[in-house]
Short mmCIF file of all heavy atoms in Angstrom, two decimals:
data_model
loop_
_atom_site.label_atom_id
_atom_site.label_comp_id
_atom_site.label_asym_id
_atom_site.label_seq_id
_atom_site.Cartn_x
_atom_site.Cartn_y
_atom_site.Cartn_z
N TYR A 1 18.03 12.20 -18.09
CA TYR A 1 16.58 11.90 -18.10
C TYR A 1 16.45 10.50 -18.88
O TYR A 1 16.99 10.26 -19.85
CB TYR A 1 15.77 12.94 -18.97
CG TYR A 1 14.30 12.52 -19.15
CD1 TYR A 1 13.35 12.79 -18.28
CD2 TYR A 1 13.94 11.79 -20.34
CE1 TYR A 1 12.00 12.46 -18.42
CE2 TYR A 1 12.69 11.38 -20.56
CZ TYR A 1 11.69 11.72 -19.59
OH TYR A 1 10.38 11.27 -19.79
N ILE A 2 15.58 9.70 -18.13
CA ILE A 2 15.31 8.38 -18.64
C ILE A 2 13.78 8.15 -18.64
O ILE A 2 13.12 8.41 -17.59
CB ILE A 2 15.90 7.21 -17.82
CG1 ILE A 2 17.46 7.36 -17.86
CG2 ILE A 2 15.55 5.76 -18.47
CD1 ILE A 2 18.19 6.47 -16.92
N ALA A 3 13.19 7.72 -19.69
CA ALA A 3 11.73 7.39 -19.73
C ALA A 3 11.56 5.95 -19.71
O ALA A 3 12.19 5.07 -20.55
CB ALA A 3 11.13 7.92 -21.10
N ALA A 4 10.80 5.50 -18.68
CA ALA A 4 10.43 4.09 -18.57
C ALA A 4 9.14 3.89 -19.22
O ALA A 4 8.06 4.40 -18.64
CB ALA A 4 10.40 3.65 -17.12
N LEU A 5 9.09 3.22 -20.33
CA LEU A 5 7.76 3.19 -21.12
C LEU A 5 7.10 1.86 -21.01
O LEU A 5 7.69 0.85 -20.60
CB LEU A 5 8.12 3.34 -22.57
CG LEU A 5 8.85 4.67 -23.01
CD1 LEU A 5 9.36 4.53 -24.45
CD2 LEU A 5 8.01 5.78 -22.71
N PRO A 6 5.77 1.79 -21.14
CA PRO A 6 5.03 0.51 -21.21
C PRO A 6 5.70 -0.45 -22.24
O PRO A 6 6.28 0.01 -23.26
CB PRO A 6 3.68 0.88 -21.61
CG PRO A 6 3.60 2.35 -21.34
CD PRO A 6 4.94 2.90 -21.61
N PRO A 7 5.46 -1.76 -22.01
CA PRO A 7 6.06 -2.73 -22.95
C PRO A 7 5.26 -2.83 -24.23
O PRO A 7 4.62 -3.80 -24.54
CB PRO A 7 6.03 -4.08 -22.12
CG PRO A 7 4.85 -3.81 -21.26
CD PRO A 7 4.88 -2.40 -20.83
N SER A 8 5.29 -1.77 -25.03
CA SER A 8 4.52 -1.69 -26.25
C SER A 8 5.43 -1.05 -27.34
O SER A 8 5.92 0.04 -27.11
CB SER A 8 3.31 -0.88 -26.01
OG SER A 8 2.72 -0.32 -27.19
N ALA A 9 5.58 -1.64 -28.49
CA ALA A 9 6.24 -1.11 -29.60
C ALA A 9 5.73 0.18 -30.05
O ALA A 9 6.41 1.17 -30.39
CB ALA A 9 6.32 -2.09 -30.75
N GLN A 10 4.36 0.24 -29.92
CA GLN A 10 3.73 1.55 -30.39
C GLN A 10 4.02 2.65 -29.51
O GLN A 10 4.31 3.77 -29.89
CB GLN A 10 2.19 1.35 -30.44
CG GLN A 10 1.36 2.56 -30.92
CD GLN A 10 -0.08 2.33 -31.00
OE1 GLN A 10 -0.57 1.18 -30.69
NE2 GLN A 10 -0.91 3.32 -31.36
N ALA A 11 4.00 2.39 -28.14
CA ALA A 11 4.30 3.45 -27.20
C ALA A 11 5.74 3.89 -27.35
O ALA A 11 6.05 5.09 -27.31
CB ALA A 11 4.19 2.91 -25.71
N ALA A 12 6.59 2.97 -27.64
CA ALA A 12 8.08 3.30 -27.84
C ALA A 12 8.28 4.17 -29.13
O ALA A 12 9.02 5.13 -29.01
CB ALA A 12 8.94 2.03 -27.85
N ALA A 13 7.61 3.85 -30.12
CA ALA A 13 7.71 4.61 -31.38
C ALA A 13 7.17 5.93 -31.30
O ALA A 13 7.79 7.00 -31.66
CB ALA A 13 7.07 3.75 -32.45
N SER A 14 6.00 6.02 -30.60
CA SER A 14 5.40 7.34 -30.41
C SER A 14 6.27 8.26 -29.58
O SER A 14 6.47 9.43 -29.95
CB SER A 14 4.01 7.22 -29.75
OG SER A 14 3.41 8.45 -29.52
N PHE A 15 6.79 7.70 -28.51
CA PHE A 15 7.63 8.55 -27.70
C PHE A 15 8.95 8.91 -28.37
O PHE A 15 9.40 10.07 -28.27
CB PHE A 15 8.01 7.72 -26.42
CG PHE A 15 8.84 8.59 -25.33
CD1 PHE A 15 8.08 9.39 -24.45
CD2 PHE A 15 10.07 8.55 -25.28
CE1 PHE A 15 8.78 10.14 -23.62
CE2 PHE A 15 10.80 9.29 -24.36
CZ PHE A 15 10.21 10.02 -23.48
N ARG A 16 9.46 8.04 -29.12
CA ARG A 16 10.71 8.31 -29.87
C ARG A 16 10.46 9.43 -30.93
O ARG A 16 11.37 10.31 -31.09
CB ARG A 16 11.24 7.04 -30.51
CG ARG A 16 12.67 7.19 -31.19
CD ARG A 16 13.15 5.90 -31.80
NE ARG A 16 13.18 4.83 -30.79
CZ ARG A 16 12.37 3.82 -30.77
NH1 ARG A 16 11.47 3.63 -31.65
NH2 ARG A 16 12.55 2.89 -29.84
N ASN A 17 9.35 9.40 -31.54
CA ASN A 17 8.97 10.50 -32.55
C ASN A 17 8.91 11.88 -31.94
O ASN A 17 9.37 12.89 -32.49
CB ASN A 17 7.63 10.20 -33.24
CG ASN A 17 7.67 9.07 -34.18
OD1 ASN A 17 8.78 8.70 -34.65
ND2 ASN A 17 6.64 8.44 -34.43
N ASN A 18 8.42 11.92 -30.63
CA ASN A 18 8.37 13.14 -29.88
C ASN A 18 9.60 13.60 -29.22
O ASN A 18 9.87 14.79 -29.10
CB ASN A 18 7.12 13.09 -28.91
CG ASN A 18 5.82 12.98 -29.69
OD1 ASN A 18 5.60 13.59 -30.60
ND2 ASN A 18 4.87 12.20 -28.94
N PHE A 19 10.34 12.61 -28.76
CA PHE A 19 11.62 12.94 -27.97
C PHE A 19 12.66 11.99 -28.44
O PHE A 19 13.06 11.08 -27.70
CB PHE A 19 11.25 12.77 -26.51
CG PHE A 19 10.18 13.46 -25.95
CD1 PHE A 19 8.90 12.90 -25.78
CD2 PHE A 19 10.24 14.83 -25.62
CE1 PHE A 19 7.83 13.59 -25.26
CE2 PHE A 19 9.17 15.57 -25.22
CZ PHE A 19 7.98 14.91 -25.01
N PRO A 20 13.25 12.24 -29.63
CA PRO A 20 14.14 11.31 -30.28
C PRO A 20 15.46 11.12 -29.46
O PRO A 20 16.10 10.10 -29.65
CB PRO A 20 14.40 11.97 -31.62
CG PRO A 20 14.01 13.42 -31.45
CD PRO A 20 12.99 13.41 -30.53
N ASP A 21 15.88 12.11 -28.74
CA ASP A 21 17.10 12.03 -27.99
C ASP A 21 17.06 11.41 -26.57
O ASP A 21 18.00 11.34 -25.80
CB ASP A 21 17.77 13.39 -27.89
CG ASP A 21 18.08 13.95 -29.31
OD1 ASP A 21 18.42 13.16 -30.20
OD2 ASP A 21 17.91 15.16 -29.48
N ALA A 22 15.77 11.12 -26.04
CA ALA A 22 15.62 10.70 -24.78
C ALA A 22 15.99 9.13 -24.66
O ALA A 22 15.53 8.35 -25.50
CB ALA A 22 14.23 10.92 -24.29
N ARG A 23 16.62 8.89 -23.57
CA ARG A 23 16.91 7.49 -23.37
C ARG A 23 15.66 6.75 -22.85
O ARG A 23 14.94 7.27 -22.07
CB ARG A 23 18.04 7.30 -22.25
CG ARG A 23 18.42 5.84 -22.00
CD ARG A 23 19.45 5.67 -20.96
NE ARG A 23 19.69 4.31 -20.66
CZ ARG A 23 20.51 3.88 -19.72
NH1 ARG A 23 21.21 4.72 -18.98
NH2 ARG A 23 20.69 2.59 -19.50
N GLN A 24 15.46 5.41 -23.35
CA GLN A 24 14.30 4.76 -23.09
C GLN A 24 14.56 3.42 -22.24
O GLN A 24 15.67 2.89 -22.59
CB GLN A 24 13.51 4.39 -24.32
CG GLN A 24 13.00 5.50 -25.07
CD GLN A 24 12.13 5.04 -26.29
OE1 GLN A 24 11.67 3.97 -26.34
NE2 GLN A 24 11.95 5.93 -27.25
N THR A 25 13.75 3.03 -21.42
CA THR A 25 13.80 1.73 -20.86
C THR A 25 12.31 1.19 -20.77
O THR A 25 11.41 2.01 -21.14
CB THR A 25 14.46 1.78 -19.42
OG1 THR A 25 14.59 0.49 -18.92
CG2 THR A 25 13.56 2.57 -18.47
N VAL A 26 12.07 0.06 -20.28
CA VAL A 26 10.74 -0.58 -20.35
C VAL A 26 10.32 -0.95 -18.93
O VAL A 26 11.16 -1.50 -18.09
CB VAL A 26 10.77 -1.87 -21.23
CG1 VAL A 26 9.37 -2.48 -21.17
CG2 VAL A 26 11.03 -1.39 -22.70
N LEU A 27 9.12 -0.69 -18.68
CA LEU A 27 8.56 -1.16 -17.33
C LEU A 27 7.19 -1.92 -17.60
O LEU A 27 6.27 -1.27 -18.15
CB LEU A 27 8.37 -0.09 -16.41
CG LEU A 27 7.56 -0.29 -15.04
CD1 LEU A 27 8.48 -1.13 -14.12
CD2 LEU A 27 7.10 0.98 -14.50
N GLY A 28 7.00 -3.11 -17.04
CA GLY A 28 5.73 -3.76 -17.05
C GLY A 28 5.81 -5.13 -17.77
O GLY A 28 6.74 -5.44 -18.47
N ASN A 29 4.69 -5.90 -17.55
CA ASN A 29 4.69 -7.21 -18.13
C ASN A 29 5.88 -8.07 -17.88
O ASN A 29 6.44 -8.67 -18.80
CB ASN A 29 4.33 -7.00 -19.66
CG ASN A 29 3.78 -8.32 -20.29
OD1 ASN A 29 3.27 -9.17 -19.51
ND2 ASN A 29 4.01 -8.45 -21.49
N GLY A 30 6.34 -8.08 -16.63
CA GLY A 30 7.48 -8.88 -16.30
C GLY A 30 8.87 -8.22 -16.39
O GLY A 30 9.76 -8.79 -16.01
N GLN A 31 8.87 -6.99 -16.89
CA GLN A 31 10.05 -6.19 -16.96
C GLN A 31 10.04 -5.04 -16.00
O GLN A 31 9.31 -4.12 -16.16
CB GLN A 31 10.33 -5.64 -18.35
CG GLN A 31 10.35 -6.73 -19.47
CD GLN A 31 10.51 -6.14 -20.79
OE1 GLN A 31 11.58 -5.59 -21.15
NE2 GLN A 31 9.56 -6.30 -21.63
N TYR A 32 10.88 -5.23 -14.88
CA TYR A 32 10.75 -4.20 -13.87
C TYR A 32 12.17 -3.65 -13.55
O TYR A 32 12.25 -2.77 -12.67
CB TYR A 32 10.14 -4.87 -12.62
CG TYR A 32 8.85 -5.53 -12.83
CD1 TYR A 32 8.72 -6.92 -12.88
CD2 TYR A 32 7.72 -4.72 -13.10
CE1 TYR A 32 7.49 -7.45 -13.09
CE2 TYR A 32 6.50 -5.32 -13.50
CZ TYR A 32 6.33 -6.71 -13.48
OH TYR A 32 5.15 -7.27 -13.77
N ASP A 33 13.18 -4.07 -14.12
CA ASP A 33 14.44 -3.53 -13.92
C ASP A 33 14.66 -2.35 -14.81
O ASP A 33 15.10 -2.46 -16.04
CB ASP A 33 15.58 -4.47 -14.26
CG ASP A 33 15.58 -5.79 -13.29
OD1 ASP A 33 15.15 -5.51 -12.10
OD2 ASP A 33 15.97 -6.86 -13.63
N ILE A 34 14.29 -1.12 -14.36
CA ILE A 34 14.25 0.07 -15.14
C ILE A 34 15.68 0.68 -15.32
O ILE A 34 15.73 1.59 -16.16
CB ILE A 34 13.23 1.00 -14.72
CG1 ILE A 34 13.50 1.46 -13.22
CG2 ILE A 34 11.83 0.49 -14.88
CD1 ILE A 34 12.44 2.51 -12.59
N ALA A 35 16.59 0.35 -14.50
CA ALA A 35 17.91 0.94 -14.59
C ALA A 35 18.89 0.11 -13.82
O ALA A 35 18.43 -0.85 -13.02
CB ALA A 35 17.94 2.35 -13.97
N LYS A 36 20.06 0.26 -13.97
CA LYS A 36 21.10 -0.46 -13.22
C LYS A 36 20.93 -0.16 -11.71
O LYS A 36 20.60 1.04 -11.38
CB LYS A 36 22.53 -0.04 -13.60
CG LYS A 36 23.63 -0.85 -12.92
CD LYS A 36 25.00 -0.36 -13.43
CE LYS A 36 26.09 -1.07 -12.74
NZ LYS A 36 27.41 -0.74 -13.19
N ALA A 37 20.96 -1.17 -10.96
CA ALA A 37 20.68 -0.96 -9.52
C ALA A 37 21.45 0.09 -8.87
O ALA A 37 22.64 0.25 -9.12
CB ALA A 37 20.89 -2.25 -8.74
N GLY A 38 20.71 0.92 -8.13
CA GLY A 38 21.41 2.03 -7.35
C GLY A 38 22.01 3.19 -8.17
O GLY A 38 22.97 3.79 -7.74
N THR A 39 21.41 3.47 -9.25
CA THR A 39 22.01 4.50 -10.12
C THR A 39 20.97 5.76 -10.33
O THR A 39 21.57 6.72 -10.83
CB THR A 39 22.25 3.98 -11.57
OG1 THR A 39 21.05 3.48 -12.13
CG2 THR A 39 23.29 2.90 -11.51
N ALA A 40 19.85 5.73 -9.99
CA ALA A 40 18.78 6.83 -10.13
C ALA A 40 18.79 7.67 -8.86
O ALA A 40 18.75 7.16 -7.75
CB ALA A 40 17.40 6.34 -10.53
N ASP A 41 18.62 8.91 -9.05
CA ASP A 41 18.47 9.87 -7.97
C ASP A 41 17.02 10.00 -7.65
O ASP A 41 16.60 10.20 -6.46
CB ASP A 41 19.08 11.27 -8.28
CG ASP A 41 20.63 11.24 -8.42
OD1 ASP A 41 21.24 10.98 -7.42
OD2 ASP A 41 21.01 11.40 -9.60
N VAL A 42 16.21 10.07 -8.65
CA VAL A 42 14.69 10.30 -8.49
C VAL A 42 13.98 9.41 -9.56
O VAL A 42 14.32 9.32 -10.71
CB VAL A 42 14.37 11.71 -8.83
CG1 VAL A 42 12.93 12.02 -8.51
CG2 VAL A 42 15.26 12.68 -7.92
#
């Protein structure tokens, strides 16, 4: 499971507090590479 979060430190901190073991990436505001190309199933 990977969570693509908005480009916000507050959003990242809030999500980490609730799901500390989940992997995070960023989507938005010029950042659109949410994972290594061709690696996600869904």
Side-chain angles (χ1 to χ4, degrees):
Y1 172 87
I2 302 170
L5 303 174
S8 159
Q10 181 178 359
S14 176
F15 187 83
R16 189 178 299 110
N17 286 338
N18 292 323
F19 305 100
D21 298 326
R23 182 180 176 185
Q24 296 184 21
T25 186
V26 175
L27 173 74
N29 194 24
Q31 301 182 68
Y32 307 108
D33 296 328
I34 56 175
K36 184 178 178 180
T39 58
D41 296 292
V42 182

